[in-house]
Amino acid sequence: MPDAIESDQDMDVAHSEVLELGIPVACRSCQARHGVVCGALSSTQLRELGRHSLRRKIDAGCEIVAQGSESSFYSNIMRGVVKLCKVMPDGRQQIVGLQFAPDFVGRPFVRESTLSAEAATDAEICVFPRNLLDRMISETPELQRSLHDQALKELDAAREWMLTLGRRTAEEKVASLLYLIATHAEPQTATSTAFDLPLSRAEIADFLGLTIETVSRQMTRLRKSGVISIENFRHIVVPDMDELEKKISA
Amino acid sequence: MPDAIESDQDMDVAHSEVLELGIPVACRSCQARHGVVCGALSSTQLRELGRHSLRRKIDAGCEIVAQGSESSFYSNIMRGVVKLCKVMPDGRQQIVGLQFAPDFVGRPFVRESTLSAEAATDAEICVFPRNLLDRMISETPELQRSLHDQALKELDAAREWMLTLGRRTAEEKVASLLYLIATHAEPQTATSTAFDLPLSRAEIADFLGLTIETVSRQMTRLRKSGVISIENFRHIVVPDMDELEKKISA
DNA sequence: GCCGGCAGTTGATCTAGATCAAATCGTGAT
DNA sequence: ATCACGATTTGATCTAGATCAACTGCCGGC
C-alpha cells in the first residue's frame, strides 16, 4: 500500500524541500490545462497560490483524503483518475464518484470529509492549503462560481448514478460505466474508442453495487455480443460507441 | 392530475393577476423562514425580487419542472416536500432527491433540466424569474455562496443515497428513508417521533430502487419488530429513534 | 348503506444476481 | 525458465427481492 498524504506536516515538509531545491512550484501548468481553480484567478493570486501549493505525484491506491478525517488541504487533479469512496462500518463499500483532470478534490467550507478520495491510477495532483484557498474563494466570485459549477456537475453525475444503481440491470450498469470511462478517456477516433480501465474488477463492482463475479460475467457477455473487446484485463476496445450506448437504454 | 407550471406565460399571468389585486408579492416571508435565496440579499434586492416573484400554492402531484424541459424560473420551497425524479425512456423511474423548506429548486446556469421536480405533498413555493435571479447571483457573492452551499449539501445527500442504493439491504433502505424523513419532519420529542410520510409506497419504492411489495413487506417487518408503528398507512410513529438508526447499520 | 376503485398488504413462485468453489491468467521475484 | 500469488474468469448453487396474483381496507359518489 503506498503511503497516504496524512497531514499538513507531510505536505509542508515536501513543500519546503521543493522550495529549497529552487524548483518553481507554480500552478501555471494547471492554468494551461484549465485547472478548475487556477482558471479563475488573477495572475497575482496565481503567484501567491503557486508559492504555497505543491505539485505531487501519487501512486495508484494512495489515499488523498481519508473518510472521517479533517483535511487541511484541497487538490486539483492534473493527471490520472481519482475515486471517491464511502465505506460502512461492516466493510461494505461504495464508490460514489470518479474524478478526472482537471477536477477539484475537496469539499469547500467543511473540514471533515464524509468520504475518502483515493488515486485509482497513478496520478498527479496540485495541492493547496485549505486556509489560503478558502480566503481566495471568499475574495474571488469567479472562483466561487467555478467551484459551484463543478459541484453542480458532480451533483448531476451523482444523480445519474443513482438512477443507474437503483433501476438498471447488471449489464446496463457495466455498459454505463464503460461508456462513462470511454467518454472521459483520451484516444478516440470517429466512432471506435480504445482505453485503459482505471479500475479493477473489484472497484467496478464497488461502483456499480455488484460483486466482482457479476461484473466479470457481464463483461464477457458484452465481449461475446461484440460490443467490446478485452485485451489484458485492463485494456478495452469499443468498436462502435453507439452499440455500447444502446446497451444502457437511456 | 393537478395542472403543472408549464411556461413563464403561465407564471406571468398569475403574477400580474396578483399585482392587479394589489397583494404584496414580497419575499419577506422567505427571509423570515431563512429561505436560501432571500437570506443572502440586501433589502433593496429583496424588494426588486419581491416585485417579480410570486408565492404559489401547489397541489400534491403537481409538476414544478419537467425533465428535459427548459425552465425559465427557479423556486424556493416554503412549505411541503418536493421530490426530484429521473425517468428512463422505458418508464423505469428513480427519485434522486427530496427537498424540504426552505430549499432552493432549480439548477443555476443551465436552462435545460435533466430531472423533474414534483410536489410530493401539498406545498407552497416562491417562484423567481430565472433571468433576474441569474443576474442577482452574479452580482451577489453571498447568494452564490448560499446556493453553492446548498449544492454541496445536496451532493452529500446524493452520495449518501448512492451508498444506500448500492450496498444496503431492502430493510436497511426502508429504515434509512424513514430515518431521513423523521429527521426532516417537525414534531419530535426527546426520543420518540411521529410524522406523516410525504410519499406513497410507490414513491418510496422509486426512491429506494425497490418494488412496492418489497417496501410494504419491509414496513410490516419493522412494525412487527416494534421499531415503528403504522397508523392509517401514512402516519408513522417511531417510539425510539435509536432503534430505527440501528436498523441502518451506519 | 352500497358500490367502485385505488392504495396497500399478503401469499406463491420465479429469477437476477449473490455466494461458494475451482480453474486460469499474468506478473513479478527467484 | 520456474514459482507464487493476486486478479480474473468460469461453474454450481442459493437467496433476496422481483413478479404474478389475490385479497383487504379506505374513501368518495350515488
Side-chain angles (χ1 to χ4, degrees), chain B residues 40-94:
Chain B
L41 295 175
S42 72
S43 57
T44 317
Q45 287 174 310
L46 259 186
R47 245 191 311 280
E48 184 182 1
L49 189 59
R51 253 180 283 120
H52 296 281
S53 68
L54 167 66
R55 223 176 142 128
R56 202 183 148 130
K57 283 196 166 68
I58 302 283
D59 291 330
C62 174
E63 200 167 48
I64 299 172
V65 185
Q67 180 172 355
S69 74
E70 297 208 345
S71 157
S72 50
F73 54 88
Y74 298 116
S75 348
N76 226 19
I77 304 172
M78 305 309 300
R79 189 175 55 78
V81 180
V82 169
K83 59 178 182 165
L84 306 178
C85 263
K86 274 170 122 33
V87 329
M88 292 171 61
D90 62 10
R92 280 177 287 175
Q93 178 163 354
Q94 175 72 41

Side-chain angles (χ1 to χ4, degrees), chain B residues 115-148:
Chain B
L115 44 77
S116 72
E118 188 174 317
T121 62
D122 290 348
E124 230 170 303
I125 59 179
C126 197
V127 180
F128 315 110
R130 174 179 276 268
N131 293 340
L132 175 58
L133 200 67
D134 277 345
R135 207 191 72 216
M136 286 191 175
I137 295 173
S138 349
E139 288 167 356
T140 320
E142 211 190 323
L143 177 56
Q144 171 99 246
R145 163 70 188 260
S146 289
L147 294 174
H148 189 181

Side-chain angles (χ1 to χ4, degrees), chain A residues 17 50 57 76 79 164 192 225 243:
Chain A
E17 275 172 23
K57 283 197 164 69
N76 225 18
R79 188 175 56 78
T164 299
S192 156
S225 72
E243 288 302 313

Side-chain angles (χ1 to χ4, degrees), chain A residues 13 26 94 97 99 102 121 134 138 158 177 186 204 212 221 242:
Chain A
V13 170
Q94 176 72 41
Q99 303 203 276
T121 62
D134 277 345
S138 345
L177 180 62
E186 317 83 69
I204 294 174
I212 49 178
R221 217 164 109 86
D242 293 343

